[in-house]
Amino acid sequence: MKLKLSILLICLFFVMLIQAQVQPKSLVVKAGNPVAPIQPTMWGLFFEDINFAADGGIYAELVKNRSFEFYKPLMGWKKTGEEYVGQFQIINSQNENNPRFLRLESLQGKELGLINEGFRGMGITSGESFNFSVFARQGEGASTLKVELLDSVGVVIGKTEVNGFSTNWKKYEAKLVSTKTDSKAKLRVTLSGKGVLEIDMVSLFPENTWKNRKNGLRADLVQKLADMKPGFIRFPGGCIVEGHELETRYQWKKTVGNVEDRQLNINRWNTEFPHKNAPDYFQSYGLGFYEYFLLAEDIGAEPLPILNCGMACQFNSCELVPLDALDPYIQDVLDLIEFANGAATTKWGKLRADMGHPAPFNLKLVGVGNEQWGTQYVDRLKIFMKVLNEKHPEIIFVGGSGPSPDGKDFDYLWKEMRELKVKMVDEHYYRSPEWFLQNASRYDSYDRKGPKVFAGEYAAHDKDGKDSESRNTWKSALAEAALMTGLERNAEVVHMASYAPLFGNVDAWQWRPDLIWFDNLKVVATPNYYVQKLFSTNAGTDVVSALVDGKPLAGQDSLYASSTIDSNTSELVVKLVNVAKKPASLNLLIEGRKIGAGEISLQVLTNANLAAYNSIGKPEVVTPVERKLKLSGEKIVFSLDANSFTVARIALKK
Ligand code: AHR
């Protein structure tokens, strides 16, 4: 009898064990109990002019070295015609910001011209209109400037002329239309007729730009940003803020006012990586601080400028401004706040108004220093903070925690930031996908009362690959999605996050992976972009707890989850990540709110191949698909694909 009972109990035990294994786990969501608001700034953008993101990227200028100010004045230009000594002269006028111009001298009346190669070619679409402009001054004789678009083999595919030049410097404009599509087109300008003509700021823009602003930004690239509905945009970087040395740091005052008066600066990524040298990488500042503020406004993002703190990049020269000489640097911050927010009667507010924006930009966030570390940074930040907090208590100033997300320097900086009562601390992590998975709980134990976190630069770095875009693997994006559930769950302490870098030109990059790739005509969103977009367009308004066995789901059975409610739409938003090679099931138990009838809409990003990526040639290998989940009663069971990220929006009864 006893034996029979034992056998029965053993059988029962195994049945229960098997059932426990088959039964999906239950994710309990307390939908009636918001834990913390999701900041409207939560998911944002990091913009830096790296990988030809500005000149040769989002700034739609097609002419490279338009004002002959590169270190080699004719870099990007090729002379045509029969040359004799003195025909092409680079004159240095000593004009402070834009000293050089080109004198074309055709005393025998033979045509002579110049071809500009653009930024790895020019992207030209058939039937498209272009705005050509040039600053010019007529010397002796009369002349005409022929303006021609050439396709990649040199055939003319669009033309116009400019003439009637004055003997004083003036801007001349003309339109031309292309008859062919070519991503590697060029521009030829030819002096025709006997005489001398001096030219500067030779420029060509597509007419079709973002919001059709003349000489503005590339519409297709900005659209990708707008589609993300970002909460903020950080600019202008990144290390570019710091410069290799102080002389070449980013100085916002040199990037505002008339475009022709903005002084060219070398781009620090020009020489940064010996294996990715880009000798033709400079900053024209056609995209300057005014344009950044405008861009932020256009896409509904809070502007977050980062300013230099009196230190050049510590990976390079680490040149320092003495502690008693920081005033001009602090003044730059104060003046920037005036430029953005000051009345049109103030010095800098007037410049903003004169540039076309009388209303303030409503700047609320400013970063001081990028990736600085050590006592050098803390000593300087203290001096900045004393003045800035006193003069602008309404602004949130962001401090940094260095280039690593852990270690001695990181811990030291966090301690100092707490003592300084900095309101927000910028963290950076470029780490392996495995690190991302392991760090999904990173913020669960962060102090809720201390400074808030700005995950200001992060990307999962996967292994190498042949194509430019090939490091933006699905594996890296999936790992980022897993970590981001941890950011969202901890929205009480994490107030902002941005993937970095944002853009990569497939023909001219220095750093990868990047969120968005482009060439002269096309743009491709990476799997990482779709992860970011799914988070930012499904942010919700308040985080609610999502627990399995009383704990956040952060890696158990290779699953990750976070959950928010959207009080605007009365929906529950659940984000689920399965990094296992096999499908998984998960019960959803909603507590505290009743769900509406009907079906649940799901956005699913998945691919069986973790090495899959999107490229200019194959842009849709990993893209979100919409699915519906029919509801039967109150019970919701998710069937999650292997290697998948799912966002579910569930209507709640009011
Ligand atoms: O995003 C690329 C670079 O990474 C940034 O310029 C810098 O802040 C970080 O080291």
Short mmCIF file of all heavy atoms in Angstrom, two decimals, residues 379-437:
data_model
loop_
_atom_site.label_atom_id
_atom_site.label_comp_id
_atom_site.label_asym_id
_atom_site.label_seq_id
_atom_site.Cartn_x
_atom_site.Cartn_y
_atom_site.Cartn_z
N ASP A 379 37.23 69.86 -11.37
CA ASP A 379 37.66 71.20 -10.96
C ASP A 379 37.04 72.28 -11.85
O ASP A 379 36.66 73.34 -11.39
CB ASP A 379 39.19 71.32 -11.02
CG ASP A 379 39.86 70.46 -9.96
OD1 ASP A 379 39.15 69.99 -9.05
OD2 ASP A 379 41.09 70.24 -10.06
N ARG A 380 36.98 71.96 -13.13
CA ARG A 380 36.41 72.95 -14.07
C ARG A 380 34.89 73.03 -13.94
O ARG A 380 34.30 74.10 -13.91
CB ARG A 380 36.83 72.61 -15.51
CG ARG A 380 38.23 73.08 -15.76
CD ARG A 380 38.94 72.51 -16.95
NE ARG A 380 40.31 73.03 -16.92
CZ ARG A 380 41.26 72.57 -16.09
NH1 ARG A 380 40.99 71.57 -15.26
NH2 ARG A 380 42.46 73.13 -16.08
N LEU A 381 34.28 71.87 -13.83
CA LEU A 381 32.81 71.85 -13.75
C LEU A 381 32.32 72.64 -12.52
O LEU A 381 31.30 73.33 -12.60
CB LEU A 381 32.33 70.40 -13.70
CG LEU A 381 30.83 70.21 -13.89
CD1 LEU A 381 30.39 70.66 -15.28
CD2 LEU A 381 30.41 68.75 -13.68
N LYS A 382 33.06 72.51 -11.43
CA LYS A 382 32.65 73.24 -10.21
C LYS A 382 32.57 74.74 -10.49
O LYS A 382 31.62 75.41 -10.07
CB LYS A 382 33.68 73.00 -9.10
CG LYS A 382 33.49 71.68 -8.38
CD LYS A 382 34.50 71.52 -7.26
CE LYS A 382 34.34 70.13 -6.66
NZ LYS A 382 35.53 69.66 -5.96
N ILE A 383 33.56 75.24 -11.22
CA ILE A 383 33.59 76.69 -11.51
C ILE A 383 32.43 77.07 -12.44
O ILE A 383 31.75 78.08 -12.23
CB ILE A 383 34.97 77.08 -12.10
CG1 ILE A 383 36.06 76.76 -11.07
CG2 ILE A 383 35.00 78.54 -12.51
CD1 ILE A 383 37.48 76.91 -11.58
N PHE A 384 32.18 76.22 -13.42
CA PHE A 384 31.04 76.47 -14.33
C PHE A 384 29.73 76.49 -13.53
O PHE A 384 28.90 77.37 -13.66
CB PHE A 384 30.94 75.35 -15.39
CG PHE A 384 31.73 75.59 -16.64
CD1 PHE A 384 33.09 75.38 -16.67
CD2 PHE A 384 31.10 76.02 -17.80
CE1 PHE A 384 33.82 75.57 -17.84
CE2 PHE A 384 31.81 76.22 -18.98
CZ PHE A 384 33.18 76.00 -18.99
N MET A 385 29.57 75.45 -12.69
CA MET A 385 28.28 75.26 -12.02
C MET A 385 27.93 76.39 -11.07
O MET A 385 26.77 76.76 -10.93
CB MET A 385 28.28 73.92 -11.25
CG MET A 385 28.08 72.76 -12.15
SD MET A 385 26.61 73.08 -13.14
CE MET A 385 26.85 72.08 -14.47
N LYS A 386 28.97 76.91 -10.44
CA LYS A 386 28.74 77.99 -9.47
C LYS A 386 28.05 79.16 -10.19
O LYS A 386 27.04 79.68 -9.74
CB LYS A 386 30.08 78.43 -8.88
CG LYS A 386 29.95 79.30 -7.69
CD LYS A 386 31.26 79.31 -6.90
CE LYS A 386 31.16 80.18 -5.68
NZ LYS A 386 30.67 81.52 -5.90
N VAL A 387 28.58 79.52 -11.35
CA VAL A 387 28.01 80.66 -12.08
C VAL A 387 26.69 80.27 -12.73
O VAL A 387 25.69 80.99 -12.63
CB VAL A 387 29.00 81.12 -13.19
CG1 VAL A 387 28.44 82.32 -13.93
CG2 VAL A 387 30.36 81.41 -12.60
N LEU A 388 26.67 79.12 -13.37
CA LEU A 388 25.50 78.75 -14.18
C LEU A 388 24.27 78.51 -13.32
O LEU A 388 23.17 78.98 -13.65
CB LEU A 388 25.81 77.52 -15.03
CG LEU A 388 26.93 77.69 -16.07
CD1 LEU A 388 27.16 76.38 -16.83
CD2 LEU A 388 26.60 78.81 -17.05
N ASN A 389 24.45 77.79 -12.22
CA ASN A 389 23.28 77.52 -11.36
C ASN A 389 22.71 78.81 -10.78
O ASN A 389 21.50 78.94 -10.64
CB ASN A 389 23.66 76.57 -10.22
CG ASN A 389 23.69 75.13 -10.70
OD1 ASN A 389 23.02 74.77 -11.68
ND2 ASN A 389 24.48 74.31 -10.05
N GLU A 390 23.62 79.73 -10.48
CA GLU A 390 23.16 80.99 -9.89
C GLU A 390 22.40 81.81 -10.93
O GLU A 390 21.33 82.33 -10.68
CB GLU A 390 24.39 81.74 -9.41
CG GLU A 390 24.08 82.85 -8.44
CD GLU A 390 25.37 83.57 -8.07
OE1 GLU A 390 26.26 82.93 -7.49
OE2 GLU A 390 25.46 84.77 -8.43
N LYS A 391 22.98 81.89 -12.13
CA LYS A 391 22.35 82.75 -13.15
C LYS A 391 21.17 82.09 -13.83
O LYS A 391 20.27 82.76 -14.33
CB LYS A 391 23.39 83.14 -14.21
CG LYS A 391 24.52 83.95 -13.64
CD LYS A 391 24.98 85.00 -14.62
CE LYS A 391 26.00 85.84 -13.96
NZ LYS A 391 26.45 86.99 -14.23
N HIS A 392 21.20 80.76 -13.90
CA HIS A 392 20.12 80.08 -14.65
C HIS A 392 19.59 78.85 -13.91
O HIS A 392 19.72 77.72 -14.38
CB HIS A 392 20.62 79.69 -16.04
CG HIS A 392 20.75 80.86 -16.94
ND1 HIS A 392 19.67 81.52 -17.47
CD2 HIS A 392 21.85 81.52 -17.35
CE1 HIS A 392 20.10 82.55 -18.19
NE2 HIS A 392 21.41 82.58 -18.14
N PRO A 393 18.92 79.09 -12.77
CA PRO A 393 18.38 77.95 -12.03
C PRO A 393 17.32 77.19 -12.81
O PRO A 393 16.99 76.05 -12.50
CB PRO A 393 17.79 78.59 -10.77
CG PRO A 393 17.63 80.04 -11.09
CD PRO A 393 18.65 80.38 -12.13
N GLU A 394 16.77 77.85 -13.85
CA GLU A 394 15.69 77.22 -14.63
C GLU A 394 16.24 76.17 -15.61
O GLU A 394 15.47 75.36 -16.14
CB GLU A 394 14.88 78.29 -15.39
CG GLU A 394 15.51 78.87 -16.68
CD GLU A 394 16.68 79.84 -16.46
OE1 GLU A 394 17.12 80.02 -15.30
OE2 GLU A 394 17.19 80.40 -17.46
N ILE A 395 17.54 76.17 -15.84
CA ILE A 395 18.12 75.24 -16.83
C ILE A 395 18.63 73.98 -16.13
O ILE A 395 19.21 74.05 -15.05
CB ILE A 395 19.30 75.91 -17.58
CG1 ILE A 395 18.84 77.18 -18.32
CG2 ILE A 395 20.00 74.95 -18.53
CD1 ILE A 395 18.21 77.01 -19.66
N ILE A 396 18.43 72.83 -16.77
CA ILE A 396 19.03 71.59 -16.27
C ILE A 396 20.41 71.47 -16.91
O ILE A 396 20.51 71.33 -18.15
CB ILE A 396 18.16 70.37 -16.62
CG1 ILE A 396 16.83 70.48 -15.87
CG2 ILE A 396 18.87 69.07 -16.29
CD1 ILE A 396 15.87 69.34 -16.15
N PHE A 397 21.46 71.55 -16.10
CA PHE A 397 22.82 71.38 -16.62
C PHE A 397 23.23 69.92 -16.47
O PHE A 397 23.03 69.33 -15.41
CB PHE A 397 23.79 72.32 -15.91
CG PHE A 397 23.52 73.76 -16.23
CD1 PHE A 397 22.84 74.57 -15.33
CD2 PHE A 397 23.90 74.29 -17.46
CE1 PHE A 397 22.55 75.89 -15.64
CE2 PHE A 397 23.62 75.62 -17.78
CZ PHE A 397 22.94 76.42 -16.87
N VAL A 398 23.78 69.38 -17.54
CA VAL A 398 24.12 67.96 -17.56
C VAL A 398 25.63 67.81 -17.38
O VAL A 398 26.41 68.44 -18.10
CB VAL A 398 23.70 67.33 -18.91
CG1 VAL A 398 23.99 65.83 -18.93
CG2 VAL A 398 22.23 67.60 -19.19
N GLY A 399 26.03 66.99 -16.43
CA GLY A 399 27.45 66.68 -16.25
C GLY A 399 27.76 65.32 -16.85
O GLY A 399 26.85 64.57 -17.24
N GLY A 400 29.05 64.96 -16.91
CA GLY A 400 29.43 63.71 -17.57
C GLY A 400 30.00 62.69 -16.59
O GLY A 400 30.34 63.01 -15.45
N SER A 401 30.10 61.43 -17.07
CA SER A 401 30.70 60.38 -16.24
C SER A 401 31.81 59.67 -17.00
O SER A 401 32.15 58.54 -16.69
CB SER A 401 29.63 59.39 -15.78
OG SER A 401 29.04 58.78 -16.91
N GLY A 402 32.35 60.34 -18.05
CA GLY A 402 33.49 59.78 -18.77
C GLY A 402 33.08 58.80 -19.85
O GLY A 402 31.89 58.59 -20.10
N PRO A 403 34.08 58.17 -20.49
CA PRO A 403 33.79 57.30 -21.63
C PRO A 403 33.37 55.88 -21.27
O PRO A 403 32.92 55.14 -22.14
CB PRO A 403 35.12 57.28 -22.39
CG PRO A 403 36.16 57.69 -21.42
CD PRO A 403 35.52 58.43 -20.30
N SER A 404 33.54 55.47 -19.98
CA SER A 404 33.20 54.08 -19.63
C SER A 404 32.02 54.04 -18.66
O SER A 404 31.91 54.92 -17.81
CB SER A 404 34.37 53.40 -18.93
OG SER A 404 35.47 53.40 -19.76
N PRO A 405 31.22 52.99 -18.76
CA PRO A 405 30.04 52.91 -17.88
C PRO A 405 30.34 52.25 -16.54
O PRO A 405 29.42 51.90 -15.80
CB PRO A 405 29.08 52.05 -18.70
CG PRO A 405 29.97 51.17 -19.50
CD PRO A 405 31.23 51.93 -19.77
N ASP A 406 31.60 52.03 -16.23
CA ASP A 406 31.96 51.43 -14.94
C ASP A 406 33.45 51.69 -14.69
O ASP A 406 34.13 52.24 -15.54
CB ASP A 406 31.68 49.92 -14.93
CG ASP A 406 32.09 49.26 -16.24
OD1 ASP A 406 33.14 49.63 -16.80
OD2 ASP A 406 31.34 48.38 -16.73
N GLY A 407 33.90 51.31 -13.53
CA GLY A 407 35.33 51.47 -13.22
C GLY A 407 35.59 52.65 -12.30
O GLY A 407 34.68 53.37 -11.90
N LYS A 408 36.88 52.81 -11.99
CA LYS A 408 37.31 53.81 -10.99
C LYS A 408 36.91 55.24 -11.39
O LYS A 408 36.35 55.99 -10.60
CB LYS A 408 38.82 53.73 -10.86
CG LYS A 408 39.30 53.73 -9.42
CD LYS A 408 40.73 53.25 -9.27
CE LYS A 408 41.63 54.14 -9.99
NZ LYS A 408 42.68 54.34 -10.57
N ASP A 409 37.21 55.59 -12.65
CA ASP A 409 36.93 56.96 -13.10
C ASP A 409 35.43 57.24 -13.07
O ASP A 409 34.99 58.32 -12.68
CB ASP A 409 37.45 57.18 -14.53
CG ASP A 409 38.96 57.23 -14.56
OD1 ASP A 409 39.55 57.62 -13.53
OD2 ASP A 409 39.54 56.85 -15.59
N PHE A 410 34.67 56.25 -13.49
CA PHE A 410 33.21 56.37 -13.53
C PHE A 410 32.66 56.58 -12.10
O PHE A 410 31.88 57.50 -11.85
CB PHE A 410 32.63 55.11 -14.17
CG PHE A 410 31.14 55.03 -14.19
CD1 PHE A 410 30.41 55.68 -15.18
CD2 PHE A 410 30.45 54.29 -13.23
CE1 PHE A 410 29.02 55.59 -15.20
CE2 PHE A 410 29.07 54.21 -13.26
CZ PHE A 410 28.35 54.86 -14.25
N ASP A 411 33.12 55.73 -11.18
CA ASP A 411 32.63 55.84 -9.79
C ASP A 411 33.01 57.18 -9.19
O ASP A 411 32.20 57.81 -8.50
CB ASP A 411 33.21 54.70 -8.93
CG ASP A 411 32.70 53.35 -9.38
OD1 ASP A 411 31.67 53.31 -10.09
OD2 ASP A 411 33.32 52.33 -9.04
N TYR A 412 34.24 57.60 -9.48
CA TYR A 412 34.70 58.89 -8.95
C TYR A 412 33.81 60.02 -9.47
O TYR A 412 33.35 60.88 -8.71
CB TYR A 412 36.16 59.11 -9.36
CG TYR A 412 36.62 60.54 -9.22
CD1 TYR A 412 36.86 61.10 -7.96
CD2 TYR A 412 36.81 61.34 -10.36
CE1 TYR A 412 37.27 62.42 -7.84
CE2 TYR A 412 37.22 62.66 -10.23
CZ TYR A 412 37.44 63.20 -8.97
OH TYR A 412 37.83 64.51 -8.86
N LEU A 413 33.54 59.99 -10.76
CA LEU A 413 32.74 61.09 -11.33
C LEU A 413 31.32 61.10 -10.78
O LEU A 413 30.77 62.15 -10.48
CB LEU A 413 32.74 61.00 -12.86
CG LEU A 413 34.04 61.50 -13.52
CD1 LEU A 413 34.01 61.27 -15.01
CD2 LEU A 413 34.27 62.99 -13.22
N TRP A 414 30.73 59.91 -10.64
CA TRP A 414 29.37 59.87 -10.10
C TRP A 414 29.33 60.45 -8.69
O TRP A 414 28.42 61.19 -8.32
CB TRP A 414 28.82 58.44 -10.11
CG TRP A 414 27.83 58.25 -11.23
CD1 TRP A 414 28.05 57.63 -12.42
CD2 TRP A 414 26.46 58.70 -11.25
NE1 TRP A 414 26.92 57.68 -13.19
CE2 TRP A 414 25.92 58.32 -12.50
CE3 TRP A 414 25.65 59.37 -10.37
CZ2 TRP A 414 24.60 58.59 -12.87
CZ3 TRP A 414 24.33 59.66 -10.72
CH2 TRP A 414 23.83 59.28 -11.97
N LYS A 415 30.35 60.10 -7.90
CA LYS A 415 30.40 60.62 -6.52
C LYS A 415 30.46 62.15 -6.56
O LYS A 415 29.73 62.84 -5.86
CB LYS A 415 31.65 60.04 -5.82
CG LYS A 415 31.82 60.47 -4.39
CD LYS A 415 32.97 59.74 -3.73
CE LYS A 415 34.27 60.44 -3.58
NZ LYS A 415 34.63 61.75 -3.66
N GLU A 416 31.33 62.65 -7.43
CA GLU A 416 31.49 64.11 -7.52
C GLU A 416 30.21 64.78 -8.04
O GLU A 416 29.85 65.86 -7.59
CB GLU A 416 32.67 64.46 -8.44
CG GLU A 416 34.03 64.05 -7.89
CD GLU A 416 34.42 64.82 -6.63
OE1 GLU A 416 33.98 65.98 -6.47
OE2 GLU A 416 35.17 64.26 -5.80
N MET A 417 29.55 64.14 -8.98
CA MET A 417 28.32 64.72 -9.54
C MET A 417 27.24 64.81 -8.46
O MET A 417 26.50 65.78 -8.39
CB MET A 417 27.78 63.87 -10.71
CG MET A 417 28.67 63.84 -11.93
SD MET A 417 28.97 65.46 -12.62
CE MET A 417 30.68 65.30 -13.03
N ARG A 418 27.20 63.79 -7.61
CA ARG A 418 26.23 63.82 -6.50
C ARG A 418 26.54 64.97 -5.56
O ARG A 418 25.67 65.74 -5.19
CB ARG A 418 26.28 62.50 -5.71
CG ARG A 418 25.41 61.46 -6.33
CD ARG A 418 25.29 60.22 -5.44
NE ARG A 418 25.18 59.09 -6.32
CZ ARG A 418 26.15 58.25 -6.63
NH1 ARG A 418 27.34 58.37 -6.07
NH2 ARG A 418 25.96 57.27 -7.48
N GLU A 419 27.84 65.09 -5.24
CA GLU A 419 28.22 66.17 -4.31
C GLU A 419 27.96 67.54 -4.89
O GLU A 419 27.54 68.46 -4.21
CB GLU A 419 29.68 66.02 -3.91
CG GLU A 419 29.82 65.01 -2.79
CD GLU A 419 31.25 64.62 -2.49
OE1 GLU A 419 32.17 65.40 -2.79
OE2 GLU A 419 31.42 63.50 -1.96
N LEU A 420 28.18 67.64 -6.20
CA LEU A 420 27.96 68.93 -6.88
C LEU A 420 26.47 69.20 -7.10
O LEU A 420 26.10 70.26 -7.58
CB LEU A 420 28.65 68.86 -8.25
CG LEU A 420 29.92 69.67 -8.44
CD1 LEU A 420 30.55 69.33 -9.79
CD2 LEU A 420 29.63 71.15 -8.38
N LYS A 421 25.67 68.19 -6.84
CA LYS A 421 24.21 68.27 -7.06
C LYS A 421 23.87 68.59 -8.51
O LYS A 421 22.96 69.36 -8.82
CB LYS A 421 23.56 69.28 -6.12
CG LYS A 421 23.68 68.92 -4.64
CD LYS A 421 22.64 69.65 -3.83
CE LYS A 421 22.64 69.39 -2.36
NZ LYS A 421 23.44 68.37 -1.77
N VAL A 422 24.65 67.99 -9.40
CA VAL A 422 24.34 68.10 -10.83
C VAL A 422 23.01 67.40 -11.05
O VAL A 422 22.75 66.35 -10.46
CB VAL A 422 25.48 67.43 -11.65
CG1 VAL A 422 25.07 67.17 -13.07
CG2 VAL A 422 26.73 68.28 -11.59
N LYS A 423 22.14 68.00 -11.87
CA LYS A 423 20.79 67.42 -11.98
C LYS A 423 20.75 66.17 -12.86
O LYS A 423 19.89 65.32 -12.70
CB LYS A 423 19.83 68.48 -12.53
CG LYS A 423 19.56 69.57 -11.51
CD LYS A 423 18.50 70.53 -12.01
CE LYS A 423 18.42 71.76 -11.12
NZ LYS A 423 18.28 72.99 -11.86
N MET A 424 21.68 66.10 -13.81
CA MET A 424 21.63 64.95 -14.71
C MET A 424 23.04 64.53 -15.12
O MET A 424 23.89 65.40 -15.35
CB MET A 424 20.82 65.31 -15.95
CG MET A 424 20.57 64.13 -16.78
SD MET A 424 19.10 64.09 -17.79
CE MET A 424 18.04 65.34 -17.32
N VAL A 425 23.28 63.23 -15.20
CA VAL A 425 24.61 62.73 -15.53
C VAL A 425 24.55 61.89 -16.81
O VAL A 425 23.72 60.99 -16.95
CB VAL A 425 25.19 61.88 -14.36
CG1 VAL A 425 26.55 61.30 -14.75
CG2 VAL A 425 25.33 62.73 -13.11
N ASP A 426 25.47 62.21 -17.70
CA ASP A 426 25.56 61.58 -19.02
C ASP A 426 26.42 60.31 -18.91
O ASP A 426 27.57 60.38 -18.46
CB ASP A 426 26.22 62.63 -19.94
CG ASP A 426 26.40 62.18 -21.36
OD1 ASP A 426 25.81 61.16 -21.74
OD2 ASP A 426 27.14 62.88 -22.09
N GLU A 427 25.87 59.17 -19.31
CA GLU A 427 26.64 57.92 -19.32
C GLU A 427 26.81 57.44 -20.75
O GLU A 427 25.89 57.57 -21.56
CB GLU A 427 25.89 56.83 -18.53
CG GLU A 427 25.77 57.12 -17.05
CD GLU A 427 25.27 55.90 -16.26
OE1 GLU A 427 24.88 54.88 -16.88
OE2 GLU A 427 25.28 55.98 -15.03
N HIS A 428 27.98 56.84 -21.04
CA HIS A 428 28.25 56.33 -22.40
C HIS A 428 28.58 54.85 -22.36
O HIS A 428 29.41 54.43 -21.54
CB HIS A 428 29.45 57.08 -23.02
CG HIS A 428 29.17 58.53 -23.27
ND1 HIS A 428 30.07 59.36 -23.88
CD2 HIS A 428 28.08 59.29 -23.01
CE1 HIS A 428 29.55 60.59 -23.97
NE2 HIS A 428 28.34 60.56 -23.44
N TYR A 429 27.97 54.08 -23.23
CA TYR A 429 28.41 52.68 -23.33
C TYR A 429 28.37 52.15 -24.75
O TYR A 429 27.32 51.99 -25.35
CB TYR A 429 27.69 51.72 -22.38
CG TYR A 429 26.31 52.09 -21.90
CD1 TYR A 429 25.17 51.57 -22.53
CD2 TYR A 429 26.14 52.89 -20.78
CE1 TYR A 429 23.90 51.87 -22.06
CE2 TYR A 429 24.88 53.20 -20.30
CZ TYR A 429 23.76 52.69 -20.96
OH TYR A 429 22.52 52.99 -20.49
N TYR A 430 29.56 51.89 -25.25
CA TYR A 430 29.75 51.18 -26.53
C TYR A 430 30.31 49.82 -26.13
O TYR A 430 31.52 49.71 -25.87
CB TYR A 430 30.73 51.94 -27.42
CG TYR A 430 30.25 53.33 -27.81
CD1 TYR A 430 30.76 54.47 -27.21
CD2 TYR A 430 29.28 53.49 -28.80
CE1 TYR A 430 30.31 55.73 -27.57
CE2 TYR A 430 28.84 54.75 -29.17
CZ TYR A 430 29.35 55.87 -28.55
OH TYR A 430 28.91 57.12 -28.90
N ARG A 431 29.48 48.82 -26.03
CA ARG A 431 29.89 47.53 -25.49
C ARG A 431 29.30 46.40 -26.33
O ARG A 431 28.49 46.63 -27.21
CB ARG A 431 29.42 47.39 -24.05
CG ARG A 431 30.06 48.39 -23.09
CD ARG A 431 31.49 48.00 -22.82
NE ARG A 431 32.24 49.07 -22.21
CZ ARG A 431 32.75 49.05 -20.98
NH1 ARG A 431 32.56 47.99 -20.22
NH2 ARG A 431 33.46 50.06 -20.52
N SER A 432 29.68 45.17 -25.98
CA SER A 432 29.21 44.01 -26.76
C SER A 432 27.72 43.78 -26.51
O SER A 432 27.18 44.20 -25.48
CB SER A 432 29.97 42.76 -26.31
OG SER A 432 29.59 42.47 -24.98
N PRO A 433 27.06 43.06 -27.42
CA PRO A 433 25.65 42.72 -27.18
C PRO A 433 25.46 41.97 -25.86
O PRO A 433 24.48 42.18 -25.15
CB PRO A 433 25.28 41.83 -28.37
CG PRO A 433 26.24 42.22 -29.45
CD PRO A 433 27.50 42.63 -28.76
N GLU A 434 26.44 41.14 -25.52
CA GLU A 434 26.33 40.37 -24.26
C GLU A 434 26.31 41.33 -23.07
O GLU A 434 25.54 41.16 -22.12
CB GLU A 434 27.52 39.39 -24.12
CG GLU A 434 27.48 38.23 -25.12
CD GLU A 434 27.81 38.64 -26.56
OE1 GLU A 434 28.53 39.65 -26.76
OE2 GLU A 434 27.33 37.97 -27.50
N TRP A 435 27.14 42.35 -23.13
CA TRP A 435 27.16 43.35 -22.04
C TRP A 435 25.77 44.00 -21.91
O TRP A 435 25.28 44.21 -20.80
CB TRP A 435 28.24 44.40 -22.33
CG TRP A 435 28.41 45.42 -21.23
CD1 TRP A 435 29.30 45.37 -20.20
CD2 TRP A 435 27.66 46.63 -21.04
NE1 TRP A 435 29.16 46.46 -19.38
CE2 TRP A 435 28.15 47.26 -19.87
CE3 TRP A 435 26.61 47.25 -21.72
CZ2 TRP A 435 27.65 48.48 -19.39
CZ3 TRP A 435 26.10 48.46 -21.24
CH2 TRP A 435 26.63 49.06 -20.08
N PHE A 436 25.18 44.28 -23.05
CA PHE A 436 23.85 44.92 -23.02
C PHE A 436 22.83 44.01 -22.32
O PHE A 436 22.03 44.46 -21.51
CB PHE A 436 23.40 45.27 -24.44
CG PHE A 436 23.88 46.63 -24.87
CD1 PHE A 436 25.21 46.89 -25.10
CD2 PHE A 436 22.99 47.69 -25.01
CE1 PHE A 436 25.67 48.14 -25.46
CE2 PHE A 436 23.42 48.96 -25.36
CZ PHE A 436 24.78 49.18 -25.59
N LEU A 437 22.89 42.71 -22.64
CA LEU A 437 21.95 41.79 -22.00
C LEU A 437 22.18 41.73 -20.49
O LEU A 437 21.24 41.76 -19.70
CB LEU A 437 22.07 40.39 -22.59
CG LEU A 437 21.77 40.25 -24.10
CD1 LEU A 437 21.89 38.80 -24.54
CD2 LEU A 437 20.38 40.78 -24.43
#
